[in-house]
Amino acid sequence: MTTTAQRIFNFSAGPAVLPRPVLEEAQRDLVSLPGVGMSILEISHRSRTFEDILARTEADLRTLGNIPGSYKVLFLQGGASLQFSMVPMNLLGSGRTADYIVTGGWAQKAVKEAQRVGTVNVAASTESENFSRIPRQNETTLTPDAAYVHVTTNNTLFGTQWKTVPSVGDVPLVADTSSDMFSRPIDVARYGVIYAGAQKNLGPSGVTLVIIRDDLLARSPKSLPTMLNYAVHAENGSMYNTPPCFGIYLMGLVAKWALAEGGLAKVAERNERKAGKLYREIDRSGFYRGTAAGDSRSMMNVTFRLPDVDLEKSFVKESTAAGLDGLKGHRSVGGMRASIYNAFPEEGVDALVQFMQEFEKKNG
Ligand SMILES: *Cc1c(COP(=O)(O)O)cnc(C)c1O
């Protein structure tokens, strides 16, 4: 049995590992917020205490991501998956086309929802190569005057990641950043909308971060159901209805932690070091084989295969027994996936590298 103090290395793709100091602070203050005498789970969202938590969370996220004042920061529900619908419902408009760059399973789901709303142009897709790489700019056919261009910055299932976002001229770029938000510095001004389910890099499940440029709020049709309207959420400061209070609180603790770590440049440096160690091990001997093309490799989800499926099964079983949890890859790729988000400790990466070397010695 593990006690509450003993933790294993959690390589889960999401919900995923959170910073230990964040969990400890939440635990310490769970029964009573300091000076409040009530839990974050119990207080009114209209209380001064919660208003302060919301304001501080937003302010820290703005500092962390250097988010310009001309963008709203929203805390919504329904996960990134609801954004697959809200984006086209608010931004597409009738008679216009939205461009989607399809780099994986989540992007495909985004396309499917957008097609229910209006006209979609798949501007590029690497499906024929099982999404093993990010398309090049010259493979991308953008619609002049598209309503927006949608990209998925990190492809959680396939272990690929955009190194720099595509050039889209004046057309608003909409990005699903669910699995790499705040894993590296982000130039928010290059985007129209950025959204992310929190449960990979930002906090617990149940809250979705949406960053939207002010001028785009004018596009939301008045006929939309109220809860699906970005402009309503923006006008009400994410408080049109009861917001996901606990998720916002925890996201605030995660933002505070990332700032204390030195901000996104430092966070990125550590993420690169962590991923570098794994990719070096994958490339070292030929026993392991990375599934993503070299120039498209993700710093967040490191995907690799072994010489055969039986060895992969043993790897999963033995690594789990060794306290390395969640390494089984998504079925669309097979093999292994090590998800090493911001909060994943470097010692866990070192432990996996050592496990990989021992496993290869026994079985190679
Ligand atoms: C996990 C994930 C989603 C789905 O998020 P939900 O919050 O479960 O809806 C969407 N996009 C990407 C890139 C993801 O990694």
Side-chain angles (χ1 to χ4, degrees):
M1 269 297 283
T2 50
T3 69
T4 50
Q6 294 170 327
R7 283 165 58 82
I8 60 170
F9 291 120
N10 173 11
F11 290 91
S12 166
V17 62
L18 285 163
R20 186 175 178 124
V22 165
L23 296 176
E24 286 172 347
E25 181 172 341
Q27 180 186 43
R28 192 184 68 228
D29 295 346
L30 186 68
V31 172
S32 168
L33 288 166
V36 178
M38 291 179 281
S39 170
I40 177 67
L41 299 172
E42 302 166 315
I43 54 170
S44 165
H45 62 295
R46 304 287 174 198
S47 64
R48 178 67 200 273
T49 301
F50 184 73
E51 277 177 10
D52 287 349
I53 288 171
L54 182 66
R56 200 175 337 118
T57 299
E58 178 176 337
D60 282 350
L61 291 171
R62 283 187 181 276
T63 305
L64 187 63
N66 199 14
I67 301 171
S70 53
Y71 286 73
K72 293 284 185 290
V73 175
L74 306 178
F75 303 95
L76 306 182
Q77 302 188 56
S81 298
L82 185 60
Q83 295 310 306
F84 297 164
S85 300
M86 282 180 73
V87 164
M89 289 171 108
N90 284 270
L91 303 181
L92 183 43
S94 62
R96 299 188 72 180
T97 298
D99 284 346
Y100 278 70
I101 303 182
V102 180
T103 49
W106 293 114
Q108 285 177 309
K109 286 190 167 156
V111 166
K112 196 169 146 206
E113 295 309 315
Q115 282 170 334
R116 296 178 195 275
V117 178
T119 308
V120 169
N121 167 48
V122 173
S125 170
T126 49
E127 186 178 7
S128 65
E129 297 164 58
N130 201 32
F131 298 122
S132 57
R133 66 178 180 87
I134 298 297
R136 291 179 287 275
Q137 185 88 34
N138 65 9
E139 296 171 301
T140 307
T141 317
L142 298 171
T143 308
D145 293 325
Y148 59 87
V149 180
H150 184 282
V151 295
T152 312
T153 50
N154 184 73
N155 299 282
T156 325
L157 318 184
F158 294 91
T160 64
Q161 185 176 27
W162 291 81
K163 299 301 158 194
T164 53
V165 288
S167 302
V168 295
D170 290 335
V171 175
L173 187 62
V174 176
D176 175 1
T177 64
S178 293
S179 52
D180 67 349
M181 190 66 193
F182 293 153
S183 67
R184 54 184 176 181
I186 180 167
D187 182 4
V188 174
R190 291 198 62 175
Y191 300 83
V193 178
I194 296 166
Y195 65 89
Q199 66 273 19
K200 282 139 190 166
N201 248 336
L202 304 176
S205 63
V207 54
T208 308
L209 180 68
V210 176
I211 302 170
I212 181 165
R213 208 174 64 208
D214 285 341
D215 61 290
L216 295 173
L217 295 168
R219 290 199 195 178
S220 300
K222 297 239 180 321
S223 58
L224 280 182
T226 310
M227 281 295 289
L228 300 180
N229 188 315
Y230 285 138
V232 170
H233 290 294
E235 276 157 26
N236 291 278
S238 304
M239 296 269 278
Y240 174 77
N241 71 326
T242 316
C245 299
F246 182 74
I248 291 168
Y249 162 76
L250 216 79
M251 201 188 273
L253 297 188
V254 171
K256 192 174 71 169
W257 168 81
L259 287 170
E261 292 284 293
L264 296 188
K266 275 281 180 304
V267 167
E269 208 179 284
R270 200 182 45 206
N271 285 335
E272 275 167 34
R273 201 168 57 234
K274 282 165 18 188
K277 284 180 176 180
L278 280 179
Y279 285 120
R280 260 195 308 283
E281 180 57 26
I282 287 166
D283 293 339
R284 190 178 52 79
S285 74
F287 182 75
Y288 300 103
R289 177 171 56 82
T291 67
D295 63 355
S296 302
R297 284 175 160 179
S298 168
M299 298 292 123
M300 298 278 96
N301 312 98
V302 176
T303 50
F304 59 96
R305 303 215 53 165
L306 276 72
D308 64 59
V309 175
D310 286 337
L311 281 172
E312 289 174 343
K313 280 187 185 144
S314 315
F315 189 98
V316 170
K317 217 171 124 199
E318 290 175 31
S319 58
T320 307
L324 308 172
D325 196 69
L327 284 166
K328 189 176 192 307
H330 191 268
R331 61 188 177 282
S332 50
V333 186
M336 306 302 136
R337 170 175 53 177
S339 297
I340 48 171
Y341 300 118
N342 288 355
F344 190 88
E346 192 160 350
E347 307 90 78
V349 170
D350 295 336
L352 175 56
V353 167
Q354 199 188 336
F355 179 86
M356 289 168 75
Q357 290 174 355
E358 285 162 12
F359 190 89
E360 183 188 342
K361 263 198 210 111
K362 266 195 303 185
N363 300 285

